[in-house]
Amino acid sequence: MEGITHRTVAVNGINMHIAEKGEGPMVLFIHGFPELWYSWRHQMAALAARGYHAVAPDLRGYGDTDAPPSATDYTIFHLVGDLVALLDALAQDQVFVVGHDWGAVVAWWLCMLRPDRVRALVNMSVAFSPRHPARRPVDSLKFLFGDDHYICRFQEHGAAEAEFARINTALLLKKFLTYRKPAPLLISKEKGFGGSLDTEITLPSWLTEEDVNYYTSKFEKSGFTGGLNYYRCLNLNWELTAPWTGVQIKVPVKFVVGDLDLTYHTPGIQDYIHKGGFKREVPFLQDVVVMQGVGHFINQEKPHEISDHIYEFIRKF
């Protein structure tokens, strides 16, 4: 992590920890669950070396950034508001944005609400999902998959936290970060999130014990409630974003997903991405890349390829 500097910035009523490297046009990296700024360590080094100022915050509720106590403090407006305030604090009118997982969701909404602040977007794993005018997202998941879908299981306050507390944090993070089944993640109450706790997890070549130890040190301090609250706001976000029903994403976009990513196996998603629906909602979508044999944590699994994908796109602008 040589050359990466850290500081805390006051944004939108909270203190946000950011990691930075390099000088030049700014690239804002937005992480997902259960992750940190650290997920972008490879891309930060690569983009800094190519003449960019890489900035990766710990999002609200994560790592060394403040975690407000109320679940309703984690709506999409809070999350986008934090990032707009960060750009203001860094005196940046317009930046390149890179998102993954929940970071991709936040990036889509940053582009929706403040397209004036985004030069171009590279998003990973989670395609833009237009607001359905008559169906709440958690209700849709329950209809499709039942109560065992992990997002449905995350809804009850304190329940997932209690389960996580019974599991060694490092083992729990290894389970999440090495998940590669190209199917929705279903967890029965009987089996629980821990599953077979005595299973030894062999780390893939792209994830070291040192990496896991870094994540573990931060989640043991912060807990998981902040990140879980993003999921608990899904239906509230649906209610609050009614005025933006039908609004398109009007910034230049490149989208990258692994073909083993669980998100790429949501019913109907591949037709949506490849047969015109995605392009209709995101008219300036310029490129869709499906990486073969790659799972969900794509920016860590294929760090050099992802860094190249980002650079080759943003250098055009």
Side-chain angles (χ1 to χ4, degrees):
M1 298 306 97
E2 194 178 325
I4 291 179
T5 60
H6 299 266
R7 59 173 157 149
T8 299
V9 183
V11 300
N12 197 24
I14 63 169
N15 293 308
M16 174 173 271
H17 163 251
I18 64 170
E20 297 176 274
K21 187 177 173 76
E23 293 181 6
M26 181 174 146
V27 184
L28 175 65
F29 292 95
I30 316 175
H31 70 77
F33 176 89
E35 299 178 84
L36 301 162
W37 75 268
Y38 188 82
S39 301
W40 299 110
R41 58 199 178 279
H42 305 296
Q43 288 74 35
M44 292 180 72
L47 272 292
R50 290 167 174 173
Y52 291 89
H53 175 202
V55 177
D58 284 337
L59 295 183
R60 171 183 292 246
Y62 284 93
D64 294 319
T65 292
D66 288 350
S70 171
T72 55
D73 288 334
Y74 293 82
T75 71
I76 203 69
F77 292 101
H78 290 89
L79 306 176
V80 171
D82 294 345
L83 297 179
V84 171
L86 176 62
L87 300 187
D88 290 343
L90 299 180
Q92 296 284 334
D93 289 333
Q94 205 175 46
V95 299
F96 297 110
V97 177
V98 179
H100 170 255
D101 185 74
W102 254 107
V105 177
V106 176
W108 290 125
W109 277 95
L110 174 61
C111 293
M112 170 84 79
L113 299 171
R114 293 302 303 271
D116 57 307
R117 307 305 293 266
V118 182
R119 288 173 75 172
L121 169 67
V122 179
N123 246 358
M124 290 164 230
S125 293
V126 181
F128 176 67
S129 180
R131 181 184 182 278
H132 193 289
R135 204 170 56 218
R136 297 165 185 257
V138 178
D139 301 354
S140 296
L141 290 167
K142 276 189 180 170
F143 176 78
L144 281 170
F145 305 112
D147 291 332
D148 287 348
H149 191 274
Y150 77 101
I151 291 176
C152 300
R153 293 286 313 280
F154 283 171
Q155 294 304 308
E156 185 185 339
H157 295 268
E161 289 93 330
E163 278 198 55
F164 290 176
R166 292 195 289 272
I167 307 166
N168 174 277
T169 304
L171 177 62
L172 180 67
L173 288 164
K174 286 178 183 179
K175 279 179 172 285
F176 275 120
L177 294 169
T178 60
Y179 184 83
R180 299 179 66 74
K181 290 180 186 160
L185 178 54
L186 305 178
I187 299 153
S188 68
K189 283 201 170 173
E190 296 72 40
K191 180 180 160 199
F193 285 93
S196 176
L197 290 176
D198 54 1
T199 309
E200 187 63 38
I201 294 178
T202 304
L203 292 181
S205 59
W206 51 269
L207 188 69
T208 67
E209 289 289 347
E210 185 184 7
D211 296 332
V212 173
N213 290 342
Y214 185 84
Y215 286 114
T216 301
S217 70
K218 297 302 180 182
F219 279 101
E220 283 185 339
K221 189 184 81 165
S222 68
F224 289 89
T225 299
L228 293 168
N229 282 340
Y230 289 47
Y231 296 94
R232 292 166 183 157
C233 281
L234 282 169
N235 278 354
L236 177 57
N237 288 336
W238 179 86
E239 294 174 17
L240 296 173
T241 57
W244 288 270
T245 304
V247 176
Q248 295 171 310
I249 301 291
K250 292 282 187 72
V251 304
V253 174
K254 179 176 190 172
F255 181 72
V256 188
V257 66
D259 71 335
L260 299 180
D261 193 323
L262 74 167
T263 64
Y264 194 58
H265 295 272
T266 303
I269 193 70
Q270 294 182 29
D271 280 353
Y272 170 72
I273 289 173
H274 300 295
K275 293 185 177 176
F278 193 17
K279 178 78 172 175
R280 187 171 59 248
E281 302 294 338
V282 187
F284 304 139
L285 177 68
Q286 297 188 11
D287 200 6
V288 172
V289 178
V290 180
M291 296 180 72
Q292 301 302 310
V294 182
H296 180 65
F297 295 94
I298 190 166
N299 46 326
Q300 298 185 77
E301 184 176 344
K302 294 290 180 186
H304 305 300
E305 293 91 332
I306 291 298
S307 296
D308 288 345
H309 277 304
I310 295 166
Y311 175 66
E312 292 302 331
F313 189 63
I314 67 175
R315 68 188 291 204
K316 300 176 189 173
F317 302 96

